[in-house]
């Protein structure tokens, strides 16, 4: 008798994700090989400083919850980068389609935090091009802890598009991932960015703006 196991994406380890989906890890030390980065304005620099100061005020006294991480940092940064404007549309906390792993008799379920899609690029009925998928954690958790969830969510969409950008964050640290499909799916870990460091925070906004314009 065969037993089907129901698994939640947030409980999968990175090793399990590698085994189930065949992902291979790669590293890169530069964003410019994949993205065209533009200078940011003085106004945008001041906005970043304000976001950083707001977050610092909270994190200096206590751990910041996942919800507050999104409210204090993720959403303001996405607004500043242009993700709230057409043709991009944001979806929050939606269930992913069940992923069935036949050889493993496993069905994986989950719910992503934030998904940005391009509404003028349909890839199938009622499904649009995934621009960026984001997984947030509270400030006390390493940002990389969201990577296994991120890869799981992206796996389904890789059937319909060649590449997806992902981001895991705990408010302070931002780990971007470029996920590519094919017979041997890969993901590139981009340089880790830190909101609390001035130069790194500017690069953070440049990267978000570049992804938004893809």
């Amino acid at each position: 008798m065969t037993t089907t196991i129901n698994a939640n994406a947030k409980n999968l380890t990175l090793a399990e994700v590698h085994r189930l989906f065949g992902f291979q890890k790669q590293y890169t030390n530069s964003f410019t090989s994949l993205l065209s980065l533009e200078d940011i304005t003085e106004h945008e620099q001041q906005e970043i400083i304000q976001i950083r100061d707001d977050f610092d005020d909270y994190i200096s006294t206590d751990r910041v919850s996942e919800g507050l991480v999104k409210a204090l940092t993720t959403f303001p940064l996405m607004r500043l980068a242009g993700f709230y404007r057409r043709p991009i549309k944001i979806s929050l906390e939606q269930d992913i389609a069940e992923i069935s792993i036949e050889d493993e008799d496993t069905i994986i379920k989950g719910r992503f935090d934030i998904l940005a899609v391009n509404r003028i690029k349909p890839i199938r009925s009622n499904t649009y091009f995934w621009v960026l998928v984001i997984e947030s954690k509270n400030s006390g958790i390493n940002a990389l802890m969201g990577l296994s969830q991120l890869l799981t969510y992206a796996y389904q969409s890789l059937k319909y598009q060649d590449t997806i950008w992902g981001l895991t964050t705990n408010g302070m640290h931002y780990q971007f991932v470029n996920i590519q499909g094919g017979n041997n799916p890969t993901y590139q870990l981009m340089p880790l960015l830190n909101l609390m460091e001035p130069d790194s925070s500017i690069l953070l906004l440049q990267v978000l703006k570049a992804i938004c314009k893809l």
Side-chain angles (χ1 to χ4, degrees), residues 118-167:
N118 188 324
R119 292 299 297 270
I120 63 173
K121 291 186 178 180
I123 55 177
R124 58 174 176 149
S125 178
N126 298 319
T127 302
Y128 297 90
F129 186 87
W130 286 27
V131 178
L132 177 66
V133 59
I134 301 176
E135 181 63 29
S136 299
K137 297 298 180 184
N138 73 58
S139 63
I141 296 179
N142 190 308
L144 274 173
M145 293 301 291
L147 183 57
S148 58
Q149 287 175 259
L150 199 68
L151 295 174
T152 301
Y153 303 154
Y155 178 76
Q156 281 286 69
S157 195
L158 286 172
K159 296 177 182 178
Y160 309 104
Q161 61 187 86
D162 295 331
T163 183
I164 299 168
W165 279 94
L167 169 62

Side-chain angles (χ1 to χ4, degrees), residues 16 49 74 97 113 128 144 149 159 168 170 179 195:
E16 288 172 327
I49 292 172
T74 311
D113 278 352
Y128 297 90
L144 274 173
Q149 287 175 259
K159 296 177 182 178
T168 64
N170 59 9
I179 307 165
L195 177 66

Side-chain angles (χ1 to χ4, degrees), residues 14-198:
L14 191 56
E16 288 172 327
V17 169
H18 283 187
R19 178 176 60 82
L20 291 170
F21 304 125
F23 276 112
Q24 298 179 19
K25 184 192 306 182
Q26 298 177 350
Y27 293 93
T28 182
N29 60 4
S30 173
F31 287 97
T32 55
S33 61
L34 296 173
L35 296 170
S36 178
L37 305 182
E38 301 177 359
D39 291 338
I40 67 173
T41 66
E42 180 65 30
H43 169 73
E44 289 170 336
Q45 291 188 46
Q46 293 304 313
E47 288 286 313
I48 295 174
I49 292 172
Q50 186 62 63
I51 293 169
R52 181 166 65 239
D53 289 347
D54 290 342
F55 185 65
D56 187 55
D57 188 49
Y58 276 80
I59 203 171
S60 61
T61 57
D62 199 1
R63 177 182 297 181
V64 180
S65 70
E66 179 181 321
L68 270 177
V69 164
K70 287 184 280 191
L72 292 169
T73 65
T74 311
F75 292 145
L77 285 168
M78 293 183 73
R79 176 193 59 77
L80 196 57
F83 280 93
Y84 289 5
R85 307 184 196 111
R86 294 176 65 88
I88 305 298
K89 184 171 182 179
I90 305 297
S91 297
L92 303 178
E93 297 185 349
Q94 289 193 2
D95 294 328
I96 63 170
E98 291 185 353
I99 302 173
S100 178
I101 311 296
E102 294 182 2
D103 293 343
E104 302 279 341
D105 296 315
T106 300
I107 294 176
I108 300 172
K109 302 178 181 179
R111 173 175 291 187
F112 52 69
D113 278 352
I114 306 171
L115 175 66
V117 301
N118 188 324
R119 292 299 297 270
I120 63 173
K121 291 186 178 180
I123 55 177
R124 58 174 176 149
S125 178
N126 298 319
T127 302
Y128 297 90
F129 186 87
W130 286 27
V131 178
L132 177 66
V133 59
I134 301 176
E135 181 63 29
S136 299
K137 297 298 180 184
N138 73 58
S139 63
I141 296 179
N142 190 308
L144 274 173
M145 293 301 291
L147 183 57
S148 58
Q149 287 175 259
L150 199 68
L151 295 174
T152 301
Y153 303 154
Y155 178 76
Q156 281 286 69
S157 195
L158 286 172
K159 296 177 182 178
Y160 309 104
Q161 61 187 86
D162 295 331
T163 183
I164 299 168
W165 279 94
L167 169 62
T168 64
T169 179
N170 59 9
M172 179 182 292
H173 298 113
Y174 293 76
Q175 179 65 68
F176 285 93
V177 187
N178 183 254
I179 307 165
Q180 299 185 7
N183 293 329
N184 298 300
T186 63
Y187 63 96
Q188 290 188 67
L189 289 176
M190 311 303 290
L192 186 66
L193 300 180
N194 190 331
L195 177 66
M196 312 311 286
E197 298 175 357

